[in-house]
Amino acid sequence: MPDWVEAGYAEYTKRLSHEINVNLIEIKPEKRVGGKPVEQLLQAEAQRIRSVLPPNCHIVVLDERGQQWTTVQFADVINTWMTTGEAIAFVIGGADGLHGDIKRIAHELMALSKLTLPHGLVRVLLAEQIYRAVSINKNHPYHRA
């Protein structure tokens, strides 16, 4: 990832470290060798994603066709998810997206925007929105409605 992605993500996860545990697990994209079809590449990535998901976690897949919430609604949703005590796994696809199997096992499809966004930018935006949601739920002054 470019330095600006690392810096942006680090800033928000540092702020979150006082409130919740955040773990980033990066899956290397499948190499495009020998003209492998995209479906085959995505299937291999899907297997690696499934292998690192925490057991019994709440899976949220980022997809431009997913549910969109306002920031305050997202804070409510995060609060509901957190009350179950399960880990929440946000899954961001690569350049070719995600295999349908990953979308099918998701509990939620979530969109930060209807625009197609690069996955590095999504990482930063998602970290900021999680931080903002947790801040709202903890009555911190970060969010100004």
Side-chain angles (χ1 to χ4, degrees):
M1 285 290 155
D3 290 344
W4 65 268
V5 171
E6 298 294 339
Y9 178 79
E11 174 64 28
Y12 291 108
T13 55
K14 179 179 75 176
R15 293 180 189 188
L16 278 166
S17 68
H18 302 291
E19 306 294 343
I20 62 174
N21 292 325
V22 177
N23 298 307
L24 173 65
I25 301 170
E26 293 183 88
I27 304 297
K28 290 205 180 252
E30 188 71 9
K31 293 187 180 189
R32 297 175 176 270
V33 293
K36 285 184 185 176
V38 171
E39 177 70 15
Q40 187 178 356
L41 299 173
L42 293 177
Q43 179 64 44
E45 289 173 10
Q47 289 174 0
R48 288 199 301 277
I49 291 168
R50 281 194 301 270
S51 74
V52 299
L53 288 172
N56 303 315
C57 66
H58 187 86
I59 302 168
V60 182
V61 166
L62 278 286
D63 184 278
E64 70 268 12
R65 291 170 294 281
Q67 176 68 44
Q68 288 187 295
W69 294 291
T70 66
T71 299
V72 173
Q73 288 170 328
F74 184 53
D76 288 340
V77 168
I78 287 271
N79 193 48
T80 300
W81 294 341
M82 289 176 71
T83 60
T84 68
E86 297 176 335
I88 303 167
F90 290 93
V91 181
I92 301 170
D96 292 314
L98 290 165
H99 192 272
D101 288 351
I102 296 298
K103 292 179 185 181
R104 281 189 283 284
I105 66 168
H107 297 95
E108 312 280 343
L109 291 180
M110 175 184 165
L112 293 175
S113 170
K114 291 197 180 290
L115 299 171
T116 301
L117 302 170
H119 52 280
L121 181 57
V122 170
R123 181 185 297 185
V124 176
L125 287 172
L126 179 60
E128 190 279 336
Q129 285 299 296
I130 292 169
Y131 174 71
R132 189 177 293 266
V134 169
S135 295
I136 289 168
N137 291 334
K138 300 281 186 176
N139 295 314
H140 290 187
Y142 180 72
H143 181 71
R144 306 224 187 336

